[in-house]
Amino acid sequence: MNIGDTANLNTNPEDTPETILRLFVYGTLKRGYWNHQRFCAQARNIEPAVVWGRLYHLHAGFPALEVPEGLILARGTSDPLTDARRQQEIGTPRFGRPTGDWDLIHGELVTFTDPQRDLPPIDRLEGFRPGGHSMYQRVMVAVLCGRTPIPAWTYWMSYPPYTERVASGQWLRP
């Protein structure tokens, strides 16, 4: 996959940093998959990107991403604007290879400009319930888009049960 030399991380000049929220997606929210149109149609921008992790195919028919605990920059809350501001506060993260058998996971960086509208439906889809039992956790990690590391939210699962590891690092339609 060609992730390009430069990343067009800019959005509309009218967007404020407090309203920009970036989400790394690696499964059914990617372009061409069944949840993209419903949940990402309002995105301002979508670009190829990678993260470090382990990708699994769950027997339920969708993927799960495990990321190294040491690379988690922040954990999601129930307030999308708080999470958008937190993303802006992180600055430029380091994107170094972690110790262990981690892979580069290929996906897409989706930029939203109205996190209050766009993030809660995706949190519900992913079963993310801050403070409660969640299917996936939403965490912030370093994402490499082009040659630029940036902080972005993603959904991860620690030690996914009943899975097959996707050795290619890219989940494709089953």
Side-chain angles (χ1 to χ4, degrees):
M1 170 184 254
N2 178 10
I3 59 172
D5 293 333
T6 59
N8 181 10
L9 299 177
N10 296 327
T11 56
N12 188 320
E14 297 172 5
D15 298 333
T16 64
E18 293 81 22
T19 63
I20 296 172
L21 187 130
R22 292 187 173 98
L23 183 68
F24 176 81
V25 299
Y26 52 89
T28 67
L29 291 168
K30 293 187 302 185
R31 289 176 284 194
Y33 287 83
W34 53 91
N35 283 321
H36 176 80
Q37 187 61 35
R38 181 173 176 196
F39 294 96
C40 299
Q42 303 294 331
R44 170 82 67 202
N45 195 26
I46 301 173
E47 301 173 77
V50 295
V51 299
W52 286 109
R54 295 182 186 123
L55 190 62
Y56 299 94
H57 177 78
L58 303 177
H59 293 302
F62 45 87
L65 173 67
E66 179 183 19
V67 296
E69 287 272 353
L71 297 186
I72 294 174
L73 303 171
R75 295 187 184 273
T77 72
S78 59
D79 182 353
L81 289 180
T82 295
D83 291 347
R85 281 191 294 273
R86 181 73 180 126
Q87 194 171 30
Q88 298 304 316
E89 294 167 357
I90 293 291
T92 303
R94 181 180 169 275
F95 191 85
R97 183 181 184 89
T99 302
D101 65 339
W102 303 98
D103 302 316
L104 276 177
I105 306 304
H106 297 261
E108 296 176 336
L109 183 66
V110 181
T111 302
F112 294 104
T113 55
D114 188 346
Q116 286 184 301
R117 175 195 63 202
D118 300 321
L119 194 57
I122 298 173
D123 279 351
R124 284 191 294 277
L125 172 71
E126 303 293 351
F128 173 60
R129 296 173 189 86
H133 178 73
S134 296
M135 182 170 177
Y136 290 88
Q137 296 292 320
R138 183 164 43 81
V139 296
M140 188 187 313
V141 296
V143 173
L144 189 63
C145 188
R147 294 182 179 178
T148 306
I150 62 166
W153 296 99
T154 194
Y155 295 92
W156 80 292
M157 187 180 288
S158 181
Y159 308 112
Y162 313 112
T163 62
E164 303 166 31
R165 189 166 174 178
V166 179
S168 68
Q170 185 171 15
W171 189 78
L172 301 172
R173 186 182 308 263

